[in-house]
Amino acid sequence: MSTSRRIFLWTLSVLALLAAGGFIIGCSISAPRYAGPRSDHFDGKQFQNAGGVHAQEGLRPMLRWMLHREKGPFPEQPAAPYGPKPPARVSGGQLRVTFVNHGTFLLQVDGLNILTDPIWSERTSPYQWIGPKRLRPPGLRFEDLPKIDVVLISHNHYDHLDVGTLRRLVARDQPRIFAGLGVAQFLTEEKIPNATDLEWWQQVPLSAQVKLNCVPAQHFSGRGLRDRDATLWAGYVLQTSAGNLYYAGDTGYGQFFAEIGRRFAPMRLAILPIGAYRPQWFMAPIHISPAEAVQAHLDVQARQSVATHFGTFQLADDGLTEPVTDLRRALQEKSVPDSTFLVLKEGVGWTAQP
């Protein structure tokens, strides 16, 4: 056998082993699939967005994106300061909001401390040695968090369901955790207790004053190769004495925003994503652009909105400052005052005016 043929066969064997290893790992990290009755957005095997909208699938669009990426600058900010320690509780009809990072907010209202999609890990990945890396520290030290009563998980992607952070919260505070259909089983298998599955438009009481509503979003789910769209993605509306609060999670744009507005207006505050939207041909089904975030703000009839899902991990091609720059441009084009759609500094608490 010639040397060139031996090299070819050796290379082919290595590639085959790598592919087999990747397949085995991809299957092993998949979450369990939801098993329940069919609905207008669940066919018995997979969940679906309204109107059949779905994320880009298959190797071809992924390769097209990877081979033609135009990533904006996203410099690391390792020295970004932590914010001050929040108060232990907020009551008396007040609402205090702290943007921690990415999709993580501390919401303090009616004596409850609520965290959305908490992530304090260094990477959004099943392994902390590979995957998208944190480019700035969280806005709050984990140790400075008040006791957390409730955690809201919008979907099971690694940047929104971070097992390491949830384990720390459970060990310290034992909070109640709410997520879309099917996610509770995964959390139970990961030794994370007190999780409850919710269906779109389902309501549960959190206290005598606060009700939690699970609402639709337009996204997808999956943690490995065998669980694509096997659990439900969602947003949440909290009905409180300070007004209705909407956390959109990760989502593309759809008519459900207007329906949420019809059901829950007036909305005191909406937390809407503005990042990970470029290139739009690839991202639009699953991530709203800043311009679409402004339209969603109008659709849900929010008195004020707050930006989320930007500034920590570069998950798409938009750079560090592009989401905010494009948001300001979109607000101007829609004649919406900047003060109506806030960009909070990480770690600095904001108290809503009555």
Side-chain angles (χ1 to χ4, degrees):
M1 183 183 297
S2 67
T3 301
S4 60
R5 182 171 176 78
R6 282 198 298 271
I7 293 173
F8 171 77
L9 291 174
W10 180 85
T11 302
L12 194 63
S13 299
V14 170
L15 291 174
L17 285 171
L18 289 173
F23 178 78
I24 291 170
I25 292 172
C27 291
S28 69
I29 62 176
S30 297
R33 307 184 70 90
Y34 172 72
R38 294 171 180 261
S39 70
D40 62 352
H41 53 278
F42 182 63
D43 65 7
K45 294 183 178 180
Q46 290 182 302
F47 289 93
Q48 302 164 347
N49 291 306
V53 178
H54 56 82
Q56 297 282 356
E57 295 184 72
L59 187 60
R60 186 172 180 178
M62 179 63 72
L63 283 176
R64 178 187 166 192
W65 177 35
M66 290 292 105
L67 294 173
H68 300 92
R69 294 198 70 169
E70 297 180 356
K71 295 173 70 173
F74 207 122
E76 289 195 52
Q77 306 168 75
Y82 292 105
K85 186 175 181 177
R89 301 278 174 188
V90 168
S91 57
Q94 288 188 314
L95 166 64
R96 191 176 193 272
V97 177
T98 306
F99 177 38
V100 178
N101 61 194
H102 200 53
T104 308
F105 280 79
L106 171 63
L107 306 177
Q108 297 181 279
V109 64
D110 288 334
L112 290 178
N113 293 326
I114 302 167
L115 272 183
T116 64
D117 289 341
I119 180 166
W120 266 259
S121 293
E122 286 301 307
R123 293 183 184 271
T124 63
S125 168
Y127 308 106
Q128 287 301 297
W129 52 270
I130 194 171
K133 181 184 176 183
R134 172 183 295 281
L135 298 174
R136 62 150 293 136
L140 292 176
R141 294 180 180 87
F142 185 86
E143 296 75 17
D144 285 343
L145 283 174
K147 176 179 170 58
I148 300 302
D149 305 298
V150 174
V151 173
L152 305 180
I153 302 296
S154 62
H155 62 295
N156 73 355
H157 288 159
Y158 291 93
D159 56 322
H160 292 261
L161 193 166
D162 180 53
V163 168
T165 298
L166 289 177
R167 284 175 174 161
R168 294 174 73 184
L169 286 167
V170 165
R172 199 190 72 159
D173 298 336
Q174 297 183 327
R176 289 179 288 170
I177 302 171
F178 295 92
L181 295 176
V183 177
Q185 183 181 346
F186 168 75
L187 293 175
T188 299
E189 291 181 3
E190 293 292 328
K191 306 297 189 292
I192 298 171
N194 302 326
T196 299
D197 280 349
L198 294 178
E199 170 65 294
W200 289 349
W201 306 121
Q202 184 178 351
Q203 182 187 89
V204 293
L206 299 183
S207 71
Q209 294 174 292
V210 180
K211 295 176 183 177
L212 174 67
N213 299 271
C214 180
V215 297
Q218 182 176 293
H219 203 58
F220 70 112
S221 64
R223 295 177 72 85
L225 292 178
R226 296 190 305 162
D227 62 340
R228 179 70 173 238
D229 297 342
T231 59
L232 185 61
W233 47 94
Y236 298 96
V237 173
L238 292 157
Q239 294 174 283
T240 79
S241 68
N244 292 344
L245 320 175
Y246 171 44
Y247 174 65
D250 238 359
T251 183
Y253 183 79
Q255 294 304 309
F256 59 89
F257 284 120
E259 180 61 26
I260 290 169
R262 281 191 289 270
R263 294 191 186 211
F264 296 105
M267 199 78 74
R268 176 60 188 88
L269 185 73
I271 300 174
L272 299 169
I274 65 168
Y277 59 98
R278 286 189 47 225
Q280 287 190 264
W281 68 264
F282 189 86
M283 294 294 178
I286 56 171
H287 291 149
I288 55 176
S289 67
E292 289 170 325
V294 173
Q295 186 58 53
H297 160 82
L298 298 172
D299 289 349
V300 301
Q301 303 175 54
R303 177 175 162 187
Q304 279 185 302
S305 288
V306 170
T308 184
H309 206 260
F310 71 100
T312 303
F313 303 100
Q314 189 168 27
L315 303 178
D317 288 354
D318 38 297
L320 177 63
T321 61
E322 280 180 83
V324 175
T325 299
D326 286 353
L327 174 65
R328 296 304 179 213
R329 182 182 299 115
L331 289 167
Q332 186 176 25
E333 290 173 353
K334 290 282 188 178
S335 299
V336 176
D338 279 3
S339 60
T340 303
F341 204 128
L342 305 177
V343 179
L344 301 181
K345 183 176 176 60
E346 288 90 340
V348 179
W350 172 80
T351 300
Q353 297 301 311

